[in-house]
Amino acid sequence: MAPRDTDDRLNLSAGIASVSVALVLIAAKLWALFQTGALSVAATLADSALDLVMSLGALAAIAYAARPADDDHAFGHSAAEDLAALGQCLFILISAAMIAGAAAQRLASPAPAAIGAETTGIAVMGLSIALTLALVGWQRHVARSTGNRVVAADSLHYLGDLVPAIGAIGALWASRRFDFAWIDPAVAIGAALLMAQGALRIGRDAWDALMDRAVDAETVAGIEAIARGFPGVHGHHDLRTRRSGGRVFINLHIELDGSQSLTQAHDIGAALKRAILERYPRADVIIHKDPVRPQ
């Protein structure tokens, strides 16, 4: 089986696992919310609902981005991942605002709502943490194997879910042990802020990719280091980069001895392209060859 096919299968397996875990957690947390009435549980329920939306979007983006380039999309379909991320960002921000508003209203209430069935809520949150850890472990394995940015981002998002889940356990325990009703909405507000922070980060990265922003300075420096002093290359210029989904597009002009044959020039360019791909295996590299400029 070709490496690309193996990568696509692994990425799809991570997407399907993410959707499945989100569905299980939504059902469990919805039941826990009805049992406890805790806003901290509601926050983690909303987060799981967002996880489902994001996971479905990520799965669709992974499947679409895996399609090969065609006549209408000469550079492939990887931009679908960034479009999906922008939609997810907006959805998360709206939900975070709603959770924070509800929590602030409960904090301001002279008689905070009582929380019940704390043991049930704690058990469900424990299940949530266990499933999330298992999912993150698989996603990180896939991300390391394939380099897929969508899977890696989804993994980071689920890892962030552990904070509100642990906070919900703490709020439920404190409510049962000390009758501190204010802890529940306080944890919900903290979870909402974490959700908003993550959404802004995801949205910024997706926006940068869609606007063809250059890749990070470290990657640019790495490409220049490979080209600089490469056998047969007398110089380079007009390095342009951009990112789309999990792919990096590299456009580089190199300066070669104009007296050599076209075959020799081609071989140097091909060898340099292989060297760049060895360092950045999921890049799309175009190399233009120019004769050495006179001094």
Side-chain angles (χ1 to χ4, degrees):
M1 184 179 296
R4 180 182 176 87
D5 293 335
T6 301
D7 285 356
D8 289 343
R9 287 177 180 271
L10 282 173
N11 291 332
L12 286 172
S13 73
I16 292 171
S18 179
V19 171
S20 301
V21 168
L23 285 171
V24 172
L25 292 182
I26 286 173
K29 291 177 181 180
L30 188 61
W31 176 70
L33 177 61
F34 283 126
Q35 294 293 317
T36 65
L39 266 180
S40 55
V41 175
T44 63
L45 171 61
D47 205 30
S48 291
L50 293 172
D51 289 343
L52 177 60
V53 174
M54 293 182 67
S55 296
L56 286 171
L59 180 58
I62 288 170
Y64 188 76
R67 296 173 59 184
D70 53 34
D71 293 338
D72 294 328
H73 303 86
F75 293 97
H77 302 80
S78 54
E81 299 171 1
D82 301 308
L83 287 171
L86 275 181
Q88 292 166 351
C89 170
L90 179 60
F91 197 75
I92 292 172
L93 287 174
I94 293 173
S95 299
M98 294 176 62
I99 291 171
Q105 185 177 12
R106 181 172 289 190
L107 274 175
S109 173
I115 299 175
E118 293 90 345
T119 302
T120 298
I122 291 173
V124 170
M125 290 301 101
L127 172 66
S128 170
I129 292 172
L131 289 177
T132 300
L133 286 173
L135 174 62
V136 168
W138 175 244
Q139 288 176 320
R140 289 199 164 188
H141 166 73
V142 172
R144 283 194 302 267
S145 300
T146 68
N148 188 281
R149 193 176 70 168
V150 174
V151 175
D154 204 35
S155 171
L156 288 174
H157 178 73
Y158 272 99
L159 194 61
D161 292 350
L162 293 175
V163 176
I166 293 172
I169 289 178
L172 291 167
W173 177 82
S175 175
R176 183 182 64 181
R177 182 73 173 80
F178 304 109
D179 197 26
F180 288 165
W182 60 269
I183 293 181
D184 173 56
V187 169
I189 290 175
L193 291 175
L194 285 174
M195 291 165 60
Q197 182 184 30
L200 291 173
R201 183 180 66 252
I202 293 170
R204 181 195 61 205
D205 292 343
W207 177 258
D208 287 345
L210 289 171
M211 295 303 294
D212 290 339
R213 181 172 181 172
V215 300
D216 58 278
E218 182 180 355
T219 300
V220 171
I223 298 168
E224 291 181 330
I226 296 172
R228 188 183 305 115
F230 193 84
V233 176
H234 294 268
H236 67 277
H237 58 278
D238 290 347
L239 170 60
R240 295 185 176 93
T241 62
R242 68 182 179 91
R243 187 182 297 277
S244 180
R247 299 177 65 187
V248 174
F249 291 85
I250 302 169
N251 194 314
L252 174 66
H253 288 246
I254 59 174
E255 299 170 9
L256 306 176
D257 184 355
S259 64
Q260 64 188 346
S261 68
L262 178 60
T263 299
Q264 291 173 314
H266 174 272
D267 290 344
I268 293 172
L272 176 58
K273 180 176 180 178
R274 287 194 298 270
I276 294 174
L277 288 174
E278 184 176 350
R279 176 81 174 272
Y280 307 101
R282 287 167 180 84
D284 188 297
V285 182
I286 298 177
I287 296 179
H288 299 262
K289 305 168 189 69
D290 298 327
V292 174
R293 297 174 178 175
Q295 300 296 325

